[in-house]
Amino acid sequence: MDVDAVDFNVGARLKQVREAHALSQRQLAQRAGVTNGTISLIEQNRCSPSVSSLRKVLQGIPMTLAEFFSSDDLP
């Protein structure tokens, strides 16, 4: 098993992606159709989103799950 896969920080990655696209939590939440509290909780790792929830959030960027979980740096 790959250690990096186990240690993947969804919250930190979401924040990195969101900031790279110059979006506030509110803007991303509005685009994705979720509350800004949801975005905040995910970024703080206070909740672990389901795959479908994460996909919904990422549609507001837009970004695929594969792109999100890739280890490549953002463009």
Side-chain angles (χ1 to χ4, degrees):
M1 183 179 338
D2 185 2
V3 174
D4 290 335
V6 174
D7 292 336
F8 192 88
N9 186 329
V10 172
R13 176 69 170 158
L14 180 59
K15 183 175 182 178
Q16 176 191 29
V17 167
R18 178 180 57 77
E19 290 177 345
H21 286 84
L23 295 170
S24 70
Q25 288 181 345
R26 285 188 195 279
Q27 289 170 321
L28 177 55
Q30 186 175 22
R31 286 178 168 203
V34 299
T35 66
N36 61 308
T38 298
I39 303 297
S40 178
L41 288 172
I42 294 170
E43 287 186 358
Q44 294 173 38
N45 289 311
R46 295 184 66 199
C47 79
S48 183
S50 65
V51 172
S52 62
S53 295
L54 183 58
R55 183 181 307 131
K56 185 176 182 178
V57 169
L58 294 177
Q59 286 174 345
I61 291 178
M63 174 179 269
T64 66
L65 286 169
E67 292 167 332
F68 182 79
F69 286 106
S70 74
S71 60
D72 298 341
D73 289 334
L74 294 171

